[in-house]
Amino acid sequence: MSLDELLARRQYSLDHLEKGRLLAAELTLLTEQHRRTCAGYARILDTFPPATDVRSLADVPYLPVALFKTHRLASVPDDEVFKTMTSSGTTGQTVSRVVLDRRTADLQTRALAAIMTTLLGPRRLPMIIIDAKHEVSRQKQFSARVAAVLGMASFGRHHFHALDDDMNLDRRGLAAFLGRFAGEPILVSGSTFMVWQHLVHQIGPMEADLSNATLVHGGGWKALQAQAVDNATFKRTLFELTGVTRVHNFYGMVEQVGSVFLEGHDGYLYPPNFADVIIRDPRTWDEAPVGQAGVIEVVSALPRSYPGHALLTEDLGVVHGAGDPATGWGGKQLEVIGRVPQAELRGCGDTYAHEHSGTAMPA
């Protein structure tokens, strides 16, 4: 099955064993492509030769995601670079830089569309963005936060930014928007921390009826954990305040834009058809068994202009099993449980929280 076919199918529709087999073949081809076209990647493979017989996703050679902070790894000539993406970071931090050619950027767009169409349906919905318009437009670099806002914005229409320039909730504007689209499905999106800090903390009980809305959010969990807010608390509080019931967290990173792990009906995060997750035991770096915590590795068939198809993250997680495609949520069931000790903050919500609220966050 080609990447085009993986993108064309309804997302989260593959059995995890079938997907593992399909992706192992696709990622092996990508490894060889990047070896031929990226000298830095070839030197790494020469120094640490990968397995010659790739029998599973765990055999595909991976790079530590932090390598993109210190090295520019490109598999295309400079004149084919269409865009450079950067990760979020607090002041003084080194950020990842990922080069995209038009093909990879197009694949990312198609991938995100396939995922969101599965969740939202084919129609663009009236959309509330939990952010301030000037916060998005003033950023000169194409950061992860801007990428997330702009990426989600393409699935909405009649966009309304719910925060003013001082990051206060625009109550009058919100009421007018909800009145205009009363009874219609609505899309609400923003970083997890922004939703909590600037919607939940400012809105009164049932001041805004979002019972027809689907909320898609991600990034900023570390800041919320410092406030003892877990996913269940987040959802329950939002329901009590606004009536929203369709709430989907997502997990993703700038080094693999488009490969969005979306929260399913059971609260677990599911990789789309063209991506997957491996938990590695930090003592051996072998694949950890189901139920054992370890370091998250993410794989994706999208990266063509840089060798980012298999990345060891700085996040900790657990795979609890596999979902049933018949329920609409097939694939491995991932829970993200935190960051590797001493890892730098990242994620649009956590870095915003660190720089704007002074929130103390645990290591």
Side-chain angles (χ1 to χ4, degrees):
M1 187 179 294
S2 68
L3 176 56
D4 285 338
E5 291 170 318
L6 289 172
L7 289 171
R9 289 186 61 158
R10 180 181 175 83
Q11 296 303 298
Y12 312 100
S13 63
L14 292 178
D15 172 82
H16 76 288
L17 295 177
E18 179 188 8
K19 181 167 66 171
R21 179 177 56 80
L22 294 170
L23 281 180
E26 184 71 19
L27 296 181
T28 299
L29 293 175
L30 275 177
T31 297
E32 291 309 311
Q33 174 200 315
H34 292 305
R35 183 203 291 268
R36 291 194 306 271
T37 54
C38 178
Y41 184 65
R43 284 195 293 272
I44 292 171
L45 294 188
D46 289 342
T47 305
F48 304 99
T52 55
D53 184 13
V54 176
R55 298 185 177 181
S56 72
L57 290 178
D59 294 329
V60 175
Y62 57 86
L63 298 179
V65 72
L67 204 60
F68 289 90
K69 294 181 180 178
T70 56
H71 294 73
R72 184 179 185 275
L73 297 173
S75 302
V76 293
D78 286 348
D79 60 2
E80 293 184 16
V81 173
F82 166 64
K83 182 188 303 180
T84 299
M85 304 279 291
T86 63
S87 61
S88 297
T90 58
T91 302
Q93 277 186 350
T94 302
V95 297
S96 293
R97 296 183 185 280
V98 178
V99 297
L100 304 181
D101 62 356
R102 288 191 178 275
R103 183 187 181 200
T104 302
D106 176 64
L107 286 173
Q108 292 175 343
T109 301
R110 290 172 57 197
L112 192 57
I115 291 168
M116 289 305 154
T117 299
T118 298
L119 179 68
L120 303 171
R123 292 177 52 216
R124 297 171 66 190
L125 303 179
M127 182 175 183
I128 301 172
I129 298 170
I130 310 299
D131 213 317
K133 193 170 186 177
H134 84 285
E135 280 286 308
V136 177
S137 59
R138 76 183 176 87
Q139 296 196 34
K140 296 179 180 178
Q141 289 189 321
F142 210 73
S143 69
R145 181 176 166 199
V146 172
V149 170
L150 296 180
M152 286 301 301
S154 63
F155 305 103
R157 57 184 171 89
H158 302 293
H159 304 95
F160 169 67
H161 291 76
L163 306 181
D164 64 20
D165 290 352
D166 296 319
M167 307 307 281
N168 294 315
L169 185 65
D170 179 2
R171 288 183 159 79
R172 182 176 297 177
L174 180 60
F177 182 91
L178 293 176
R180 179 182 178 187
F181 297 105
E184 293 189 37
I186 288 174
L187 171 62
V188 182
S189 186
S191 84
T192 306
F193 181 82
M194 299 294 281
V195 171
W196 184 260
Q197 189 72 14
H198 296 296
L199 180 64
V200 170
H201 279 189
Q202 295 189 39
I203 201 167
M206 296 313 293
E207 181 180 348
D209 180 3
L210 298 181
S211 57
N212 288 330
T214 298
L215 170 61
V216 181
H217 67 96
W221 279 110
K222 191 158 188 172
L224 266 66
Q225 288 169 357
Q227 301 177 38
V229 177
D230 58 15
N231 195 26
T233 302
F234 182 87
K235 289 172 134 179
R236 184 180 66 251
T237 306
L238 272 165
F239 172 72
E240 291 171 352
L241 288 171
T242 68
V244 64
T245 56
R246 299 190 72 203
V247 180
H248 296 269
N249 182 27
F250 69 81
Y251 174 71
M253 60 197 66
V254 75
E255 293 84 355
Q256 282 190 357
V257 166
S259 300
V260 175
F261 288 45
L262 201 59
E263 181 183 351
H265 63 296
D266 51 12
Y268 293 123
L269 295 158
Y270 287 86
N273 291 345
F274 49 85
D276 214 334
V277 59
I278 297 163
I279 302 298
R280 293 206 176 265
D281 185 331
R283 295 166 298 184
T284 64
W285 299 113
D286 292 333
E287 184 174 13
V290 170
Q292 179 178 313
V295 182
I296 295 173
E297 178 190 339
V298 289
V299 300
S300 169
L302 299 182
R304 305 284 157 155
S305 55
Y306 64 99
H309 56 299
L311 297 175
L312 187 70
T313 74
E314 295 175 327
D315 295 323
L316 300 173
V318 182
V319 167
H320 289 277
D324 182 356
T327 68
W329 296 102
K332 294 178 182 174
Q333 298 168 317
L334 172 67
E335 178 187 9
V336 179
I337 59 175
R339 296 277 286 161
V340 171
Q342 308 305 318
E344 289 183 327
L345 284 178
R346 59 174 293 153
C348 45
D350 282 329
T351 53
Y352 174 88
H354 178 79
E355 296 197 331
H356 291 78
S357 70
T359 304
M361 285 173 276

